[in-house]
Amino acid sequence: MKKIPLGLLTMLLTASMTITGCGGGTGGGTSTQASTSSATSSAGGGEKILIATQTPLSGPQSAVGDAIKSGAELALSQQKEEFKKLGFDLQLFPQDDQADPKQGVANAELLVSNPDVLGVVGHYNTGVAIPSSVKYEEGQLVMVGPANTGVKLTEEGKKTVHRICARDDQEGPEAAKYSIKQLGVKSAFIIHDKTSYGQGLADQVKAQYEKDGVKVLGYEGITPGEKDFSSVIYSAVSMNPELIFFGGLYPEGGILVKQAREKNYQGIIMGGAGLDSSDFVKIAGPAAEGVIFSSAAGDVTRTEEGKKWAQEYESKIGKKPETFSVYGYDAMGVVLNGIKEAIKANGGKKPSREQVLDAVHKTTDFKGMFTKVSFDEKGDNKLADVFMYKFENGKALFLGKVE
């Protein structure tokens, strides 16, 4: 072998070290950047504290997943300097769960294995949150869900699981009662997407309709990812219900609504929070006009303070906030508030996950940008509300809180 000149060898070593240092700490679902040291110092100074997000950042549900992540990112950036003064380098550690339970679990294992991760903001999908929460429980890693409404999530007795939004057994009945009282509905056909969220919400609506004497003319499921719902739409339209209710997410919801209108269905179409995305309008096109949906998320821009927040979000993130953006922001606020309380209780030192979990679980009367949060023993928010919207002129028009 030829001898390598000393100067060239030094250059090669320097370049190698530079490339190794570019891995960063904000990888997606397949990230391998998990640290194995419990007290990692970073270039920012102080011990590192990572807060993860778990949402779909790729695939058909990425619009809302990215909105939740971006809201959480804004909240963290605003408190980064405060944590620096406390001696900690606060960093976001976003994961792409791809709306896939297997990927969510794989990401959860990654997060649990990294001792610098002290909290998780996520998920978007209840069907991903439930299996992932098994891993969080094993690692005593606190989770605060910004959008998970499925009842089962907090009924399994896991201490690490929390959510700031309403549950399906709150949203579903309220949506059903709204359609009865405000729209005069007396017959309905219910469709769901067979997911924990979609079918769970549909079940709650169905139960309320049956309780209040509304005729449920049909109850059928579709398969997520499919593009042709002609069969179920034909069944629904042939029964001529006053209302078609869809329990599911906007990628399928947009297609279903478009195809129902193409079949000349003239009645009311209604759904839940899963339709709450600007992408729903892109998919459904003109058929989105008049579609009503309930949501566990309210409209932050109803107040002057909220309008200023939305402007700051757009300035920092580069796009307008979705409805769930502020829930990502407030969920992160709850996590960071808990960590600060745990730091105080630990004499200014980096707290353990158990200490953070205890502090977050005790959250009472936390005032976020939009939400107020007081957790009950199960991890549900006792102060959560349900809201109604209607798509009009390509936008979601806020109709108000369900009283």
Side-chain angles (χ1 to χ4, degrees):
M1 294 178 62
K2 294 182 179 181
K3 291 184 178 180
I4 300 175
L6 182 59
L8 178 58
L9 179 61
T10 301
M11 288 174 64
L12 290 170
L13 287 171
T14 301
S16 175
M17 291 171 67
T18 301
I19 292 169
T20 303
C22 288
T26 57
T30 56
S31 170
T32 56
Q33 300 297 324
S35 168
T36 54
S37 84
S38 59
T40 308
S41 293
S42 67
E47 291 183 84
K48 186 188 296 182
I49 292 178
L50 301 179
I51 311 299
T53 55
Q54 271 256 60
T55 59
L57 300 178
S58 60
Q61 297 173 35
S62 60
V64 175
D66 181 70
I68 291 171
K69 188 268 289 183
S70 295
E73 183 177 13
L74 179 59
L76 185 144
S77 68
Q78 291 175 342
Q79 297 196 41
K80 193 172 179 67
E81 192 61 33
E82 182 180 353
F83 272 82
K84 187 176 181 180
K85 291 177 181 178
L86 294 173
F88 302 100
D89 180 25
L90 185 65
Q91 296 183 23
L92 188 71
F93 195 38
Q95 305 296 308
D96 179 9
D97 67 24
Q98 302 172 21
D100 179 351
K102 290 182 180 179
Q103 187 62 55
V105 170
N107 291 350
E109 290 175 340
L110 168 81
L111 298 176
V112 168
S113 71
N114 186 334
D116 290 327
V117 179
L118 296 187
V120 179
V121 172
H123 296 241
Y124 173 49
N125 308 86
T126 299
V128 180
I130 290 173
S132 300
S133 68
V134 174
K135 300 300 178 181
Y136 301 144
E137 189 75 3
E138 291 173 358
Q140 292 294 285
L141 180 60
V142 70
M143 165 197 150
V144 178
N148 306 128
T149 59
V151 174
K152 184 181 176 183
L153 179 63
T154 50
E155 289 293 331
E156 296 184 330
K158 296 185 181 71
K159 295 179 181 179
T160 52
V161 176
H162 303 77
R163 63 174 136 209
I164 65 173
C165 58
R167 297 170 21 145
D168 285 342
D169 56 359
Q170 182 181 355
E171 182 186 343
E174 293 295 345
K177 286 186 279 188
Y178 178 90
S179 70
I180 297 169
K181 295 177 183 178
Q182 303 299 324
L183 307 176
V185 169
K186 295 180 181 177
S187 66
F189 194 103
I190 299 173
I191 303 171
H192 62 82
D193 67 356
K194 302 178 185 177
T195 66
S196 296
Y197 160 69
Q199 187 166 356
L201 181 63
D203 286 344
Q204 294 294 329
V205 171
K206 181 174 181 286
Q208 190 65 45
Y209 277 156
E210 291 172 341
K211 179 180 178 181
D212 289 344
V214 174
K215 292 182 181 178
V216 178
L217 303 177
Y219 178 84
E220 294 192 26
I222 62 170
T223 302
E226 291 187 355
K227 305 294 183 184
D228 184 2
F229 305 128
S230 298
S231 178
V232 69
I233 290 171
Y234 177 79
S235 296
V237 174
S238 66
M239 299 296 289
N240 196 30
E242 294 178 340
L243 178 145
I244 292 177
F245 183 90
F246 176 62
L249 299 172
Y250 63 91
E252 289 73 32
I255 296 172
L256 189 143
V257 168
K258 185 177 181 181
Q259 293 178 358
R261 294 306 189 202
E262 288 172 349
K263 295 289 185 184
N264 204 33
Y265 177 68
Q266 301 295 317
I268 301 165
I269 299 180
M270 188 174 181
L275 302 187
D276 191 0
S277 169
S278 58
D279 275 16
F280 172 80
V281 177
K282 295 176 184 177
I283 297 167
E289 189 73 8
V291 172
I292 297 171
F293 66 93
S294 59
S295 181
D299 182 3
V300 69
T301 64
R302 302 295 289 181
T303 66
E304 287 303 315
E305 184 183 13
K307 288 177 182 177
K308 290 178 182 177
W309 178 86
Q311 290 171 354
E312 182 179 3
Y313 179 98
E314 186 172 0
S315 174
K316 296 284 180 64
I317 304 301
K319 61 183 76 172
K320 291 183 182 297
E322 299 279 346
T323 306
F324 277 106
S325 297
V326 76
Y327 277 66
Y329 182 91
D330 283 350
M332 177 62 80
V334 170
V335 173
L336 295 181
N337 182 67
I339 292 175
K340 285 187 285 189
E341 290 298 316
I343 290 171
K344 284 183 196 175
N346 201 37
K349 298 177 183 178
K350 186 174 181 177
S352 66
R353 285 179 177 167
E354 291 81 359
Q355 289 171 317
V356 173
L357 170 58
D358 183 60
V360 169
H361 192 67
K362 289 178 179 177
T363 298
T364 303
D365 295 327
F366 173 84
K367 188 178 184 304
M369 175 51 60
F370 183 82
T371 45
K372 292 181 181 178
V373 181
S374 287
F375 290 128
D376 63 16
E377 192 55 38
K378 293 179 181 178
D380 289 315
N381 181 11
K382 294 184 285 186
L383 306 177
D385 290 311
V386 176
F387 308 88
M388 299 302 299
Y389 294 81
K390 181 180 182 180
F391 283 107
E392 232 176 59
N393 299 318
K395 296 181 180 179
L397 175 67
F398 182 68
L399 299 178
K401 183 173 76 172
V402 179
E403 302 292 349

